[in-house]
Amino acid sequence: MIILAATPIGNLGDASPRLREALSEATIVAAEDTRTAVHLLRALGIENRPRLIALHDHNEREKAEEVVALAVDTDVLMLSDAGMPTVSDPGFHLVEAAVAAGVRVSAIPGPSAVITALAVSGLASDRFTFEGFLPRKPGDRRAALRALAQEQRTMVFFESPNRLAASLQDVAATLGDDRRVAVCRELTKFFEEVKRGTAAELAEWAAAGVKGEICVVIAGAEARAADPETAVDQVLALVASGTRLKDATAEVADATGLSKRDLYQAALAAKPAAPGKQAGTTANGSGNAIRSTLSSD
């Protein structure tokens, strides 16, 4: 099988017993950087010296089938330089090829900069999206941020320390000076630091220069109340496509910030009447009550 193994993102003490055992027994290791893999083995005091295959961004597509062919007969351990392979690291094309070939894929879970940054950010963690690295070019970066302007989930990014100040300035310019941000630096390492504040405040702080591995966590946009009648139309469209009224109401209420109860009542009032009944009328009144019902919340 292919075994995706999470490696420490800074602190060697985070190497799990399963990782140590797998490294001790591996005969073949596919590594983002074979030099880093050798350093990890030595740092953990593991004497095993498996066959090492370089598998990185520049050769993964070409090497994937070769590695999968090896995994038919023996376990192949996949390592990225830090964290979980495939998460903004090599490994996806290998997994894709393994799935296509019917070769089993498993994982040894462990350290993740994305989850660690989210956990310590102080921002909402119940719903989030990982966006990888922002584009290098300023115009492309601002366009990417504008596309995320209405994203209500917390967003996690990786960023180069050399581009951090410019990226935070663009966050302030596109998402608002007061958008809440956490910059997580050198996670799990001796100089770990989490700086929290508004986009404008952190852009000013980063202008002096920041070093180390960086994760940026940005609060999602606040829900904006939609036009009440448009919201009801959205609910009815979902119902027409087969969604239960209760579920459709909850989905639109979450997206718009409108009251779930009032939206449900307004949608009932607007539903086409059954045969023999007057359309647009319920026990709460006529369809004209839709706007007043929702607007009064």
Side-chain angles (χ1 to χ4, degrees):
M1 74 175 87
I2 300 289
I3 304 173
L4 307 173
T7 55
I9 60 176
N11 192 321
L12 282 175
D14 293 334
S16 70
R18 281 189 64 196
L19 174 63
R20 292 172 182 269
E21 180 181 4
L23 289 171
S24 297
E25 298 176 353
T27 58
I28 301 176
V29 172
E32 180 179 5
D33 189 323
T34 56
R35 295 165 300 181
T36 302
V38 169
H39 175 73
L40 179 64
L41 288 166
R42 289 174 177 165
L44 294 177
I46 294 173
E47 297 181 357
N48 182 33
R49 292 297 178 262
R51 174 186 172 186
L52 297 175
I53 300 174
L55 194 76
H56 45 71
D57 288 337
H58 302 295
N59 74 350
E60 185 181 355
R61 288 181 182 274
E62 292 72 27
K63 281 280 189 179
E65 289 188 9
E66 174 188 335
V67 175
V68 168
L70 293 170
V72 171
D73 298 316
T74 188
D75 292 346
V76 176
L77 199 63
M78 170 70 203
L79 306 177
S80 59
D81 286 348
M84 177 61 74
T86 77
V87 181
S88 203
D89 272 335
F92 167 71
H93 296 298
L94 178 62
V95 172
E96 187 178 40
V99 171
V103 172
R104 183 182 171 193
V105 179
S106 187
I108 298 175
S112 166
V114 177
I115 300 301
T116 303
L118 179 68
V120 302
S121 68
L123 300 174
S125 58
D126 54 337
R127 298 176 68 237
F128 73 95
T129 174
F130 174 57
E131 299 292 336
F133 282 91
L134 282 166
R136 294 172 179 266
K137 296 181 179 179
D140 293 341
R141 186 166 58 238
R142 288 190 288 270
L145 287 167
R146 282 195 295 270
L148 294 169
Q150 300 308 314
E151 173 59 67
Q152 295 180 23
R153 294 170 294 182
T154 299
M155 296 166 280
V156 184
F157 300 84
F158 289 157
E159 189 52 283
S160 160
N162 298 327
R163 295 193 299 271
L164 179 63
S167 292
L168 289 173
Q169 289 169 4
D170 288 339
V171 170
T174 56
L175 305 185
D177 287 348
D178 60 349
R179 183 66 71 94
R180 290 184 300 151
V181 176
V183 174
C184 306
R185 186 179 72 86
E186 294 289 89
L187 289 169
T188 78
K189 301 177 185 177
F190 184 78
F191 293 105
E192 176 178 294
E193 179 182 22
V194 180
K195 195 75 174 178
R196 304 176 183 87
T198 66
E201 290 169 345
L202 294 191
E204 183 178 355
W205 162 77
V210 178
K211 296 180 179 180
E213 300 285 337
I214 304 290
C215 282
V216 179
V217 187
I218 303 176
E222 293 184 5
R224 293 185 178 181
D227 172 71
E229 292 182 358
T230 299
V232 172
D233 289 341
Q234 292 173 348
V235 171
L236 296 180
L238 287 171
V239 170
S241 70
T243 305
R244 293 192 311 161
L245 177 58
K246 181 179 179 181
D247 295 334
T249 301
E251 181 176 334
V252 175
D254 287 344
T256 61
L258 292 169
S259 162
K260 188 184 302 183
R261 175 181 58 81
D262 291 344
L263 185 57
Y264 183 88
Q265 293 298 327
L268 278 178
K271 282 183 65 176
K277 293 187 179 181
Q278 184 178 352
T281 302
T282 70
N284 292 327
S286 70
N288 292 331
I290 294 172
R291 181 176 298 168
S292 60
T293 298
L294 288 168
S295 299
S296 65
D297 183 55

